[in-house]
Each structure stands twice: as structure tokens, then as C-alpha cells.
Amino acid sequence: MLHLNLPHWDEREGVCRDCLERFTHARSRVGLYLPTPGGVTLPKFKILPTPLRLGASPRYTGRGVTIAFLDSGFYPHPDITQPVNRILHYHSVLTRRADLAELATPDDSSWHGLMTSVVAAGNGFQSRGLYRGIASSAKLVLVKVGTTRRIYHDDIRRGLDWVYRHRHRFGIRIVNISCGGDYEASYLTDPLSQAAERLVKAGVVVVAASGNAGHQREHPVLPPASAPSVIAVGGFDDKNTLDPNEHDVYHSSYGVTVDGLQKPEIIAPSIWIAAPILPGTPTAQQAALYEQLSRAPDGELRAILAQHTGIDAELDAAAHLEPYQLRLLVEGKMRNEKVISGHYKHVDGTSFAAPIVSSIVAQMLEVNPRLTPQQVKRILIRTARRLPNIEADRQGWGVVNARLAVAAALNGGDILPSGHDFHLNGL
């Protein structure tokens, strides 16, 4: 397992206790998805779970912490509603009401917020706990601020204002914003940035995606991520391995804001992220069919296709092929469509790096509720790990370090652990 994920590792160098625990945990999770002695083959293990890839402590899961999510729309997915519904409230700034029927009706606008909220706080209910978020016990407040077609600058501001007015009612400690404004602006005059700053002053940690324009000539970090007190999160690519030598930067937005601030502050995984598929959609039907076909014996493939005509036209046309040809076609479709299983696919973007950081903040506030937003930000920065050979302006202070951040929170906020092994072994 170590050599598989760390091809550059020399066993003569030994291994630290933290690394050994991490790989032992990885092996146990992979074991859940290997063929069983009884001959039943479970889904292939394809994407590393987020807590595992960051080495996050399984002991802390955001208990007692409420995260508000601002996004285009949401859906009450089983990973956040089963066995206990952890959604405290849903509000739409577009209709100015809490319409639970709207929340429960899936549409194109539901998917993005469904993914961001579950990436942070899902418990992996539909994967037997495998694809859970780091804050799998946190409570959620869902605030719709737009649609798939458009999220307006001022609607994000209205969402933040709503959170400010209701922060005590729902005990909101963190706001995750996986969307951005329409234009660059100084935080001194921009109402959206000022709304974010006001929340931070009120004791709420604000985390925002930096954007995905790093590969373009112009790649500014827009409000609210550009505001001084907001934790702007960029991305990196871990290549779906546990080998830090393979890590590379993602094309997240970066640079100096109009106020002279360098953004983002930190980076987190932003590709190969397991996220739920929106139920009741054609994509969900296709993913379920692909998984059923991948599980079935050769002799049942054609019968399954005959029972599910109309779901995938290419498979309908290929139903006459030999089993090995059908399997190659199905595997190719799962790979091209990024399907992991009938319930999950892997996604990319800083929209998913931000909720990963929000989930780590939930761990920090669970172990030390007295932390201020300023202390949280300082801890995340001081415990981050720089990617070698990558410009500092693209990664800020580097890759978020889940265990060290929680260890620092346990040690009183500003006081970082002096002996990492001593503190980390207890996590």
C-alpha cells in the first residue's frame, strides 16, 4: 500500500507514526471495496475519500457546529438527512421564503449546492460511510442565492445579510461561499465585501472559493473571496494519490486584489473529489445503470440492457456486442462521465476546495469553540504546507493541513503545537 501510493518512498528511511496510521486507515477503507470471500464483487475503489487524502482526524466531525452554505440551489440528499436530518433551515433570497417543497424538487440549479454541502458535511450514507465529508456531523443552513444560469453579485450580498440576521437563531459559525461576484471591487466600497467583513466581525468564519480562472490571462479573485477577512481558497491536484511528490497546482484564480491583498491564502484539493449525483436526473439513471452492469455476470448484461432501454442510446445500440466489449464500453462511459458509482461521481473546481476547508474549520471549532475567525485564519495559514516549485502567489501559504490545524486549535488557538508527534498521535 505504501509503495502503491508513494513510489518515491525508500523503506530504509522508515515511516512516521502519523503516516503509518494514515495508510493503515487507507488500507481498511479500500478493503471494504475489494472482492469478498463469498464471491460477491463490490464496486471498485476508484477515488480517495476526502478525509483520507488530507489525513483528517476521524475523531472530530464538526459536532455542535453549524455551517451555512450559499449556492445556486440545494437538495436534501440522504448523506445529510439520513439517519438524522441535519438541515436546520432552507432559505431562498430569490423568493424570500423557506419553501421546503422547492428544496425537495430536484432541478439543474440544485446540483451545485448539493455537491458543495455534501462534500463538506455528508456522512457517506449512500456509500456505507466511505465518501463522507470531514464535518460529517455538522448541521447545515442552506441559502439559495441564484440559479445555474446566473448568480448575481448583489444576491450573494443578500444571502450574507440573511445569515447575519439569523446567525444566533441557528448557531451559525461558518459560512461557505462556492460562488463569486460579477466584478472586482474594493472592500471599502463594495457592499458584498462589506457584508462578509461584517459577518467576520460578528464571529462567523467566512470561507470562499477563489475561482477557476488561473489558466486565463486575467485571473482576478473576485468578491467576496477578495475581502481581507475572508479565507479565500484556491486548489491543488493531488492526482488522486497520497504521494505529496505528485501534488501540483490547480488552475484556480489568484493574484493581488484592488486593495493590494494577495489571494488565495490557502489551497485544498479541487479535483478528483467524490460528490453526490443529483437524484431523479438522467445522469443518476445512467450512473445506476452503469453500476448495475459493472456488477452483473456476463450472462445477464443483455437482459439488463433490454430492461433499461432509453437510458443510454449508445448502450442500446451496442446491446448485441460480446460481454467483454460491453464491459469495455461501460468502463469507458464511467471514466468519461467521471462516474464512481450509482450515487457518486468525481468533480473539480475551487467550489469544492472551499467546503473542504470549511469542514476543517468545523473540526477546529468543535475542539475549541472559543476560537475567533481571526485565530482560525491564522492557524490555517501557519499550519499550511507549501507546494515546492510552485509560485507563492498561486498557492498562498500552501496546502491546508487538517491534523495540524486541529492540533493547534486544541492548543489554544495562537499556540501552535511544539511537538507534532505528541499532539497528532492523540487525534
Side-chain angles (χ1 to χ4, degrees):
M1 183 69 182
L2 283 168
H3 276 298
L4 178 65
N5 283 279
L6 294 171
H8 305 285
W9 175 61
D10 186 342
E11 61 186 45
R12 291 173 297 181
E13 298 176 354
V15 59
C16 71
R17 182 178 298 183
D18 183 49
C19 294
L20 180 60
E21 290 178 355
R22 186 174 177 186
F23 281 104
T24 300
H25 179 62
R27 182 63 183 81
S28 69
R29 301 309 296 172
V30 172
L32 291 175
Y33 278 66
L34 294 175
T36 62
V40 178
T41 301
L42 297 172
K44 293 180 181 179
F45 184 90
K46 297 180 179 180
I47 295 294
L48 291 173
T50 299
L52 175 62
R53 70 203 314 155
L54 283 175
S57 171
R59 177 176 297 182
Y60 306 110
T61 56
R63 295 179 187 87
V65 179
T66 301
I67 309 173
F69 294 86
L70 272 61
D71 219 305
S72 62
F74 301 92
Y75 181 80
H77 192 271
D79 283 14
I80 52 178
T81 61
Q82 299 294 330
V84 176
N85 187 352
R86 291 179 285 121
I87 301 174
L88 297 182
H89 192 75
Y90 166 75
H91 178 79
S92 171
V93 302
L94 306 184
T95 59
R96 299 187 179 182
R97 66 177 187 270
D99 188 344
L100 296 180
E102 175 185 273
L103 176 64
T105 304
D107 63 27
D108 290 344
S109 297
S110 306
W111 200 339
H112 196 265
L114 159 66
M115 292 190 290
T116 57
S117 59
V118 172
V119 163
N123 61 9
F125 183 82
Q126 291 194 317
S127 63
R128 296 186 300 157
L130 181 67
Y131 291 121
R132 66 175 183 84
I134 291 174
S136 56
S137 298
K139 297 176 182 179
L140 301 85
V141 171
L142 310 176
V143 183
K144 179 180 174 68
V145 295
T147 67
T148 299
R149 292 182 296 277
R150 184 70 186 272
I151 297 178
Y152 289 96
H153 198 97
D154 196 53
D155 285 338
I156 303 174
R157 190 270 307 166
R158 290 202 291 156
L160 289 176
D161 287 345
W162 184 92
V163 171
Y164 180 84
R165 293 193 301 271
H166 296 86
R167 68 191 188 280
H168 294 307
R169 176 184 173 189
F170 300 111
I172 298 170
R173 295 297 310 276
I174 306 164
V175 177
N176 184 87
I177 310 168
S178 289
C179 50
D182 299 323
Y183 47 82
E184 290 186 271
S186 170
Y187 80 96
L188 297 173
T189 57
D190 175 46
L192 171 53
S193 299
Q194 290 181 344
E197 290 290 313
R198 182 171 68 153
L199 264 174
V200 174
K201 290 179 182 178
V204 179
V205 180
V206 180
V207 180
S210 69
N212 305 313
H215 59 300
Q216 299 176 6
R217 183 175 180 179
E218 299 294 330
H219 42 73
V221 177
L222 301 176
S226 59
S229 300
V230 172
I231 301 169
V233 183
F236 78 99
D237 180 0
D238 65 6
K239 308 297 176 65
N240 194 37
T241 77
L242 298 180
D243 185 358
N245 294 297
E246 298 294 323
H247 294 178
D248 199 0
V249 73
Y250 183 77
H251 56 81
S252 41
S253 301
Y254 67 95
V256 178
T257 70
V258 295
D259 296 304
L261 304 171
Q262 183 66 50
K263 293 281 184 168
E265 284 87 0
I266 55 175
I267 56 177
S270 57
I271 189 169
W272 312 106
I273 306 299
I277 296 172
L278 181 64
T281 60
T283 301
Q285 290 182 310
Q286 291 171 350
L289 176 58
Y290 300 158
E291 181 177 19
Q292 185 178 359
L293 290 169
S294 68
R295 288 170 172 259
D298 288 352
E300 296 180 9
L301 295 180
R302 290 181 180 175
I304 293 172
L305 287 174
Q307 294 167 4
H308 296 84
T309 57
I311 293 178
D312 187 303
E314 290 187 6
L315 285 178
D316 291 343
H320 65 283
L321 297 177
E322 294 297 319
Y324 80 92
Q325 294 174 305
L326 285 173
R327 291 198 183 282
L328 287 175
L329 181 58
V330 171
E331 288 177 7
K333 283 184 169 292
M334 294 183 75
R335 181 175 58 254
N336 293 338
E337 299 300 323
K338 303 181 180 180
V339 171
I340 304 171
S341 70
H343 299 294
Y344 301 88
K345 65 185 301 183
H346 60 90
V347 296
D348 69 282
T350 59
S351 286
F352 309 106
I356 290 173
V357 171
S358 291
S359 65
I360 295 170
V361 174
Q363 285 188 313
M364 296 167 65
L365 293 176
E366 176 187 357
V367 302
N368 189 347
R370 297 182 301 277
L371 290 177
T372 66
Q374 293 77 14
Q375 288 175 311
V376 167
K377 185 173 184 179
R378 196 153 47 237
I379 289 171
L380 289 172
I381 286 173
R382 293 177 65 184
T383 57
R385 172 183 59 84
R386 278 269 174 83
L387 287 180
N389 305 317
I390 300 296
E391 310 95 292
D393 56 348
R394 298 201 68 170
Q395 62 174 311
W397 278 264
V399 176
V400 65
N401 190 317
R403 288 213 175 196
L404 280 184
V406 174
L410 277 167
N411 278 269
D414 289 330
I415 305 173
L416 294 180
S418 57
H420 292 345
D421 286 341
F422 172 81
H423 293 281
L424 292 179
N425 290 344
L427 293 180

